Each structure stands twice: as C-alpha cells, then as structure tokens.
Amino acid sequence: MATDHAREATEAEAGTRADAPARPTALEQMGGTTGLVYTSLPIVAFVVANASAGLTAAIIVAFAVAVGITVLRLVRKEPLQPAISGLFGVAVASFVAWKTGSAKGYFLLGIWTNLLLGGIFLLSVAVRRPLAGLIWGALNSTGSRWLRDKPSVRYYDIATLALTAVFAARFVVQQWLYGADSTGWLAVAKIAMGYPLLALALLVVVWAARRSGKRLAAPERAATAPAPARGVPAARDGRTQRYATGDVRTRRPAPRP
C-alpha cells in the first residue's frame, strides 16, 4: 500500500515537471545568438567611423547603432534587457572617449571593469562563496543548496577561477594595447575576447553545475525509492533468513530420511 502511494506521488511529480515550462538557458537570457552579434556592431561602427571621420563622428555613429539595435529588438519583440545594457555601455564608453579626447578612451571603462570583476570573482573563491555557483543558481532557479556540499563548492570554485582567468586575460591584453595606442587592435581584442572567450569559461560552469546536480540528486533519489514490502526475504545465507521487518529466523535443515 505504501509502495503504491509512493509510486503514485512520484508519477504525479514527474507529470508536474513535464508540464512546467522550460526555463530559458543562459544564452537565451543574454539575448540569444543575435544578441552576441549585436554587441559587436557598435564597436565596429565606432572604429570605422573614427578612422574615416574622426572621434566626434565615431561617438555619434556608435550611439546611433546602439539605439537602432534597441528599436529593432523592440519591433521584433525580442528581449530588451541586453539591448538596454548595451546602449548604456555605449553611452558611458562614448562619454569617456569624449572626455579623454581620444578614441582609445572608448575602451577604458571595459578594461578596468574586467580588472574589478576579476578581483570580485577571485575574492568569492577565497571566502568560499564562488560566484559562478551563485549566479548559476539565480539564473536557473536552482537555489544554493550546493553550498552545503563540499565537492559541489569545489566544482564551482574551478568554474569561478575559469571566469577570473577570462577577466584577467582581457585586462592584461587590452591594457597593453591601450598603452600602445592601438585603437583598431583594441576593438579586435574586445570582440574576440568578449563572448567567444566567455563561452569557453561557461563550458566549465556548465560542467560544474552538472557534477553538482548529480551529487545533490542522488540523496533525493535514495529518499524517494520505494521500501521493500514487509515480510519479503531480504537476504539469505543458507541457514539464517532476514526479513524487511528486522526479524531474523533460523531455518533448520530438514532431517535426513
């Protein structure tokens, strides 16, 4: 009876999960593949316009492209959050370039932002709260139960260090190009070390999430496994018979004829 109830509850829970809408992936939450392409367009427009028409024209063109992308997303009913974030980033970068009077100033904010993010992610590992796991749990609504599992924390430590390495590499390379006044190569580095490099680090995050998920799911499966029926033999050793009730009965050998 208890086994039947447990089976019915498990089937009902599985049906509920099947009917629930699928959560958007991390890529979808960032705007999908088109969102990755859109982020590079204002940068390319800025560099091309700066080379042909000067800094002021480059700022106007980059901002106009960012506004156009936002309007396009609105018309196509695509997620607006990535476009709005990109528009804000272009506006701030353009303001820095205008204040410094140099095209390379367009990339200055991003360079130091990478240094700041790298330091924060590294600090989160030091305090045993790896940000890769916290962010993954927030985006996918999986919570933070993994913080109570030491191997899971180690998995997310590795993922967080991978992201830290991405931020550190961006800062070192782009700061060097900034010092060399290589505006064109700064644009190439920003695009090449943007989402493509981030995608490699996200593979490590996905690996950590899967390893942690398997560990956390194992106790749940064990807890929901149906118990053996009472009175059914659980093990035999030839003379002693054990039952699920805990009773131990000794079986005497039959007398020889």
Side-chain angles (χ1 to χ4, degrees):
M1 183 72 66
T3 304
D4 294 338
H5 287 307
R7 186 182 298 110
E8 291 174 0
T10 303
E11 293 175 353
E13 182 180 357
T16 302
R17 291 178 180 176
D19 296 336
R23 298 190 186 97
T25 63
L27 180 61
E28 292 171 343
Q29 292 171 349
M30 290 189 296
T33 306
T34 55
L36 309 186
V37 176
Y38 288 158
T39 56
S40 63
L41 293 181
I43 301 173
V44 175
F46 177 86
V47 174
V48 173
N50 179 71
S52 58
L55 178 60
T56 302
I59 292 174
I60 296 173
V61 170
F63 190 75
V65 170
V67 172
I69 291 173
T70 304
V71 173
L72 178 62
R73 279 189 172 276
L74 180 62
V75 171
R76 298 177 62 178
K77 297 182 179 181
E78 295 177 350
L80 282 179
Q81 190 275 330
I84 294 175
S85 299
L87 179 61
F88 177 77
V90 169
V92 175
S94 299
F95 176 76
V96 174
W98 176 70
K99 289 294 290 184
T100 58
S102 173
K104 68 178 184 179
Y106 184 88
F107 305 94
L108 189 60
L109 178 65
I111 292 173
W112 290 100
T113 298
N114 282 312
L115 179 63
L116 177 62
L117 290 175
I120 293 174
F121 273 68
L122 185 61
L123 179 62
S124 72
V125 174
V127 299
R128 311 303 295 161
R129 293 293 186 275
L131 274 176
L134 295 176
I135 294 174
W136 181 269
L139 290 177
N140 296 277
S141 302
T142 55
S144 57
R145 291 187 302 119
W146 56 270
L147 284 170
R148 297 188 293 271
D149 182 57
K150 289 184 178 180
S152 294
V153 174
R154 286 197 296 269
Y155 298 148
Y156 283 118
D157 279 344
I158 296 172
T160 303
L161 290 175
L163 290 167
T164 302
V166 169
F167 296 131
R170 288 175 179 174
F171 173 76
V172 171
V173 173
Q174 294 177 25
Q175 177 63 25
W176 176 71
L177 292 172
Y178 182 88
D181 294 327
S182 300
T183 304
W185 283 109
L186 264 174
V188 173
K190 187 174 181 64
I191 295 172
M193 302 182 76
Y195 282 115
L197 196 58
L198 182 61
L200 295 178
L202 287 179
L203 292 178
V204 185
V205 178
V206 172
W207 166 83
R210 289 180 176 175
R211 293 293 297 270
S212 174
K214 289 180 179 179
R215 283 190 54 83
L216 297 179
E220 294 180 356
R221 287 196 298 265
T224 57
R230 297 176 62 87
V232 177
R236 297 181 179 180
D237 59 3
R239 291 183 58 87
T240 303
Q241 188 169 350
R242 298 182 182 275
Y243 290 81
T245 57
D247 299 335
V248 179
R249 303 177 184 177
T250 302
R251 184 178 59 191
R252 296 180 182 179
R256 294 185 180 180

